[in-house]
Amino acid sequence: MSVGVLILFAVVGALICAKARVAAGAVVFSLVALVLFVATPAGQGLPEAVSSFLSTVDHSTAPALNHEREASAGSGAVG
């Protein structure tokens, strides 16, 4: 059986579990499909792409978050 068919079965299983409102089953089937997809040549770049995206978000939000901490720490206001 090819990986594509297994991914299709995992996605269909997740949809069936979601329709039946079985959240745990839907999550498990989705994780299986994700692991199978990352194992394929088409999905091998996915972890690096997610890492790059999260790194970009972290770098863009860090100055705003650090600025708030400096402003509140240096105000000298009491209570």
Side-chain angles (χ1 to χ4, degrees):
M1 209 181 251
S2 72
V3 177
V5 174
L6 292 175
I7 293 172
L8 178 66
F9 283 143
V11 169
V12 170
L15 290 174
I16 290 171
C17 287
K19 281 279 204 182
R21 296 189 180 177
V22 181
V27 169
V28 168
F29 275 113
S30 298
L31 289 175
V32 167
L34 181 65
V35 167
L36 288 172
F37 177 70
V38 170
T40 64
Q44 286 180 347
L46 185 65
E48 185 179 339
V50 170
S51 173
S52 174
F53 174 74
L54 292 177
S55 176
T56 301
V57 170
D58 182 44
H59 290 320
S60 65
T61 58
L65 295 175
N66 291 337
H67 180 67
E68 286 181 9
R69 289 183 190 154
E70 291 172 4
S72 64
S75 66
V78 177

